[in-house]
Amino acid sequence: MKELIKDLQKQALSFKIDSREDLEAFRMKFLVKKGMLNDLFSKFRELDGQAKKEFGGPLNDLKQKVQSIYDDKSAELLSNEAAAGPVYDDSLPGLPLDAGSRHPISIVLNQMIDVFMKMGFSISEGPEVEDDWHNFTALNFPENHPARDMQDTFFIDEDFSLRTHTSSVQVRVMESEDPPIRTISPGRVYRNEAISARSNSFFHQIEGLYIDKGVSFADLKQTLYLFVQEFFGEGTKVRFRPSYFPFTEPSAEMDIYLGVTTEEDRRLTKGSGWLEILGCGMVDENVLRNNDIDPETYSGFAFGMGVERITLFKYGVKDLRIFFENDIRFLRQFQGEE
Ligand code: DAH
C-alpha cells in the first residue's frame, strides 16, 4: 500500500498541466469516480484493521494533495486567461444588432429636399432661438401689429423667442449673400399652440427663397407645380388661393387635390378633396429693402410648407402626436426607408 501511495503521488506531481485539456486529463486520471484515487481507496477498504490504521492518514493526505494540485492549476490557468484578455471565437455567428431606422419626418424631409436640390436650390440653416428682427421685424411684421398674433410665440426673454417659422432663415440668407439667391431652409419651428391630433407645439417646415432679376409669379407657380409633380406624382392637380402674409405681396396658399374617393382623403381634406400644403408669394419690397436688396433691380418669390402634414398624408397617419412619442413599434415600420 505504501508503494502504491508513493507511486500515485509521484505520478500526480509529475503530471504536466499547461492547458485546460491537460487539467481535464488530470482530473480524469486521478479524481473521477473511476480514477486512480478511488481505486486506491477501494483497495484500502479491503485491508485489515491494523493496515487501515497505518495507511488511513497517508491516503487522506494524498487525496488532499491531488485535489490541491488540481485546484491550484485551475486557478493559475484562469488567471493566465484573464491576463491574456477575452477569448474570441471568430467562427461564432455575431449577435443580432438592432438596426435603427430613419424617422418618418426625416424620410419625407429628405425626399422633399431631394426634389428642390434637383431644381438647383441650395440648403441653408439658421438658429432655432431667434431675435425679433429675424423672426418678425425684417419680415415686415410691423411693431405691435396684430399680424404677430398669427403665430403664437414662445418668448425666451424680451429680445429672443423660439422661431415661429423658417422664414427667419430667409433674412439670414439675404444678409449674408447677394442675389441671385436660390435656397431652401428646412428646420424645426415652435408655436405656443394647444396640442392635438392636428397640431403640435413644434413641427417642421421647409422655406424656399428665390431672388434674381426679373423673377415673376409665373416662376413661383412653375417651381411649385414642378415640385408637386415630382413629389406627389405626375398629374397631381394644384390650385392657388389668394392669402395674406406680411412678408409677401401678393400672397397665396397652395392646395393639392387628393380627391374624395377614400375615407382617408375625405377626412384629411374635410370633404373638399383639397389639401393645403403651403403659403407663398412674391417677396415684399419692404423685406428686400430691409435686407439691402434693391427692389428696382431684383424681385423674388418665397414659400413655406409644413412637413408634418405631408408626412401624415403620405403614410396615412391619423394623429401627428405619434411622430414625437418615440414608440419603437411605430418607428420600426419605417425600417429600410431612406
Ligand atoms: N412663414 C409662413 C408660416 O409659417 C409660411 C410662409 C408663407 C412662408 C408665405 C413663406 C411665404 O415664405 O412666402 O405660416
Side-chain angles (χ1 to χ4, degrees):
M1 194 71 200
K2 198 173 167 188
E3 283 307 308
L4 288 175
I5 291 176
K6 236 175 133 181
D7 180 57
L8 202 153
Q9 177 166 327
K10 217 170 116 192
Q11 283 196 48
L13 281 171
S14 61
F15 198 102
K16 260 177 77 70
I17 302 177
D18 293 326
S19 65
R20 289 217 159 263
E21 287 76 35
D22 295 343
L23 187 69
E24 181 60 9
F26 181 90
R27 192 179 72 87
M28 294 300 286
K29 183 166 183 183
F30 298 108
L31 290 169
V32 292
K33 210 165 170 195
K34 289 188 174 157
M36 288 178 79
L37 256 182
N38 262 347
D39 263 4
L40 216 50
F41 272 95
S42 304
K43 290 201 177 83
F44 173 79
R45 260 174 248 117
E46 284 157 20
L47 295 178
D48 58 32
Q50 183 54 36
K52 271 187 178 150
K53 257 189 197 151
E54 189 181 338
F55 294 116
L59 195 54
N60 271 326
D61 286 349
L62 175 68
K63 188 182 171 191
Q64 269 175 21
K65 242 179 228 156
V66 174
Q67 185 64 48
S68 71
I69 291 173
Y70 179 84
D71 291 344
D72 291 351
K73 279 289 175 188
S74 174
E76 191 184 313
L77 281 173
L78 211 65
S79 84
N80 286 348
E81 280 167 10
V87 182
Y88 292 111
D89 180 349
D90 50 19
S91 67
L92 283 175
L95 292 173
L97 262 186
D98 250 351
S101 55
R102 256 188 221 291
H103 193 280
I105 298 285
S106 298
I107 295 170
V108 168
L109 198 60
N110 286 344
Q111 289 169 350
M112 292 165 85
I113 290 172
D114 273 354
V115 176
F116 285 112
M117 297 271 278
K118 272 196 226 162
M119 290 193 230
F121 282 80
S122 66
I123 295 179
S124 41
E125 290 183 318
E128 293 183 10
V129 174
E130 194 52 284
D131 55 30
D132 184 85
W133 172 258
H134 291 93
N135 198 75
F136 292 118
T137 307
L139 287 165
N140 201 34
F141 285 81
E143 213 76 52
N144 301 320
H145 190 278
R148 291 186 187 223
D149 296 339
M150 279 167 71
Q151 304 176 346
D152 296 317
T153 310
F154 282 117
F155 288 99
I156 289 175
D157 57 25
E158 270 185 27
D159 302 317
F160 290 95
S161 62
L162 295 176
R163 69 178 176 198
T164 58
H165 52 185
T166 42
S167 303
S168 56
V169 188
Q170 273 191 36
V171 181
R172 294 198 169 267
V173 173
M174 284 188 259
E175 269 171 2
S176 60
E177 286 173 37
D178 292 325
I181 293 170
R182 185 160 33 167
T183 191
I184 54 167
S185 320
R188 189 176 277 196
V189 301
Y190 302 83
R191 290 193 200 167
N192 191 3
E193 273 175 26
I195 295 169
S196 71
R198 293 178 68 88
S199 71
N200 202 353
S201 51
F202 67 90
F203 51 97
H204 299 79
Q205 289 186 330
I206 291 188
E207 185 79 11
L209 178 70
Y210 185 24
I211 298 179
D212 203 349
K213 289 176 183 155
V215 177
S216 70
F217 202 91
D219 297 318
L220 167 61
K221 281 176 78 174
Q222 184 61 16
T223 302
L224 294 177
Y225 182 76
L226 268 177
F227 166 76
V228 169
Q229 304 310 307
E230 271 286 312
F231 189 82
F232 294 99
E234 205 75 35
T236 306
K237 281 196 279 183
V238 303
R239 75 176 182 192
F240 290 82
R241 284 176 292 104
S243 183
Y244 170 76
F245 300 101
F247 33 94
T248 42
E249 179 58 37
S251 304
E253 282 170 310
M254 192 184 84
D255 305 337
I256 59 170
Y257 191 67
L258 305 183
V260 285
T261 33
T262 68
E263 180 64 33
E264 181 72 7
D265 292 341
R266 276 198 295 278
R267 192 180 56 78
L268 266 172
T269 66
K270 295 187 190 134
S272 72
W274 291 98
L275 181 72
E276 182 212 317
I277 63 163
L278 59 86
C280 60
M282 299 305 291
V283 179
D284 195 288
E285 290 192 3
N286 288 336
V287 175
L288 293 176
R289 255 182 244 111
N290 284 340
N291 292 291
D292 291 328
I293 293 173
D294 181 6
E296 301 298 325
T297 315
Y298 293 106
S299 58
F301 65 72
F303 56 86
M305 58 180 102
V307 181
E308 272 73 4
R309 178 173 290 192
I310 291 174
T311 311
L312 285 179
F313 160 69
K314 196 150 174 162
Y315 291 116
V317 175
K318 293 195 170 56
D319 187 330
L320 63 73
R321 284 172 289 197
I322 198 170
F323 289 139
F324 307 111
E325 282 168 359
N326 267 343
D327 187 331
I328 198 82
R329 293 166 301 179
F330 173 70
L331 297 174
R332 278 219 177 101
Q333 297 174 57
F334 301 91
Q335 230 150 26
E337 295 204 44
E338 283 298 310

